[in-house]
Amino acid sequence: EESRTKRSLFCWWQTMATAPSSAIGVGFGTAALGGQCYDVVLLALKAGFRKFDTAEADWWYDQKAVGRALRDYFEEQQQTMDDECVADECNPLKCDDLKISTKIPPWSLTSAVDIRKNASNSRSELVGFCDQVEMTDEEGNVLDTRPFPLDVYYIHAPRCWQGWHNRCNNAPKTLELRESWMAMEAVVGVDHSARRIGLSNISPQELLDI
């Protein structure tokens, strides 16, 4: 299985290694990678991928491993730039190149405070190594600094249902979707933990309601 994964990624490497930023439009999903998650994400980064999707739901995903791989690869690239590269000849990973999305599971939609805390923690875990973003006026004066954000923070599912995940067994009482969505809006507009928010595993009627 590992050999097949490496061969597949090598094909991507051949087409994208010369211009990693071209991979922005192609995302790399990280579900069901198990104990290979860290190594596979590193391979994907070396192959040119810059857009990754993960989730807070354990068993299916290993968000911590994704964050460690991103951080370690970024730090390696920065060290290479400092030690060996001439600016015109290097194309190191930059935080602005990264598009990282993750998802809050339904059993964590227990309060606005919990939703916003989860988003902040996920941001730190995945892109916390990136420098803060400076907000400037038209003259270039720094007005404020904000944490480097996730690209998208999703609601993985608005509620638990039988068989969806083993942590849905005896899950706590959660918010209605509208209440959860209001907290999600604060993730972007108040906390700046993510640029955008999204939904998955919902019905068309629920989407229209939001």
Side-chain angles (χ1 to χ4, degrees):
E1 182 64 32
E2 182 176 3
S3 178
R4 285 198 299 271
T5 300
K6 289 182 177 179
R7 286 199 300 272
S8 177
L9 286 171
F10 181 71
C11 293
W12 279 102
W13 169 266
Q14 288 180 309
T15 58
M16 295 193 292
T18 57
S21 61
S22 67
I24 287 294
V26 181
F28 193 95
T30 61
L33 293 178
Q36 298 182 48
C37 184
Y38 175 87
D39 292 333
V40 171
V41 172
L42 278 180
L43 283 171
L45 284 162
K46 292 174 182 177
F49 283 94
R50 298 293 179 262
K51 185 174 183 179
F52 291 85
D53 176 74
T54 184
E56 296 169 9
D58 53 4
W59 187 62
W60 288 339
Y61 292 87
D62 188 347
Q63 181 172 282
K64 286 183 171 60
V66 175
R68 285 191 294 108
L70 291 168
R71 182 197 65 219
D72 291 351
Y73 184 74
F74 181 86
E75 291 178 352
E76 178 186 347
Q77 290 287 295
Q78 293 305 305
Q79 187 63 46
T80 299
M81 184 69 177
D82 292 341
D83 294 346
E84 301 174 11
C85 290
V86 177
D88 292 340
E89 299 177 358
C90 288
N91 191 11
L93 173 66
K94 300 184 290 292
C95 281
D96 287 342
D97 295 332
L98 294 174
K99 308 292 181 185
I100 311 300
S101 62
T102 191
K103 302 177 281 293
I104 184 170
W107 57 83
S108 294
L109 302 173
T110 49
S111 71
V113 170
D114 288 341
I115 290 169
R116 292 170 65 180
K117 182 178 179 180
N118 274 42
S120 178
N121 290 342
S122 285
R123 188 212 68 81
S124 296
E125 192 164 71
L126 290 165
V127 293
F129 58 86
C130 293
D131 293 334
Q132 289 197 321
V133 179
E134 293 184 344
M135 310 304 295
T136 60
D137 60 20
E138 294 180 354
E139 298 178 351
N141 299 310
V142 177
L143 303 176
D144 192 14
T145 58
R146 296 177 180 176
F148 186 86
L150 297 165
D151 187 37
V152 191
Y153 192 60
Y154 292 95
I155 290 177
H156 206 158
R159 68 190 63 81
C160 278
W161 62 84
Q162 186 174 4
W164 194 78
H165 192 285
N166 57 12
R167 291 191 63 178
C168 279
N169 300 330
N170 301 313
K173 180 177 174 56
T174 57
L175 300 177
E176 294 295 323
L177 180 55
R178 279 193 177 194
E179 294 178 279
S180 295
W181 189 252
M182 290 176 66
M184 293 286 283
E185 289 179 342
V187 167
V188 173
V190 179
D191 305 327
H192 312 296
S193 295
R195 296 186 186 95
R196 300 177 289 165
I197 49 178
L199 295 162
S200 66
N201 293 303
I202 65 166
S203 69
Q205 187 57 48
E206 287 174 318
L207 183 58
L208 287 171
D209 185 56
I210 291 298

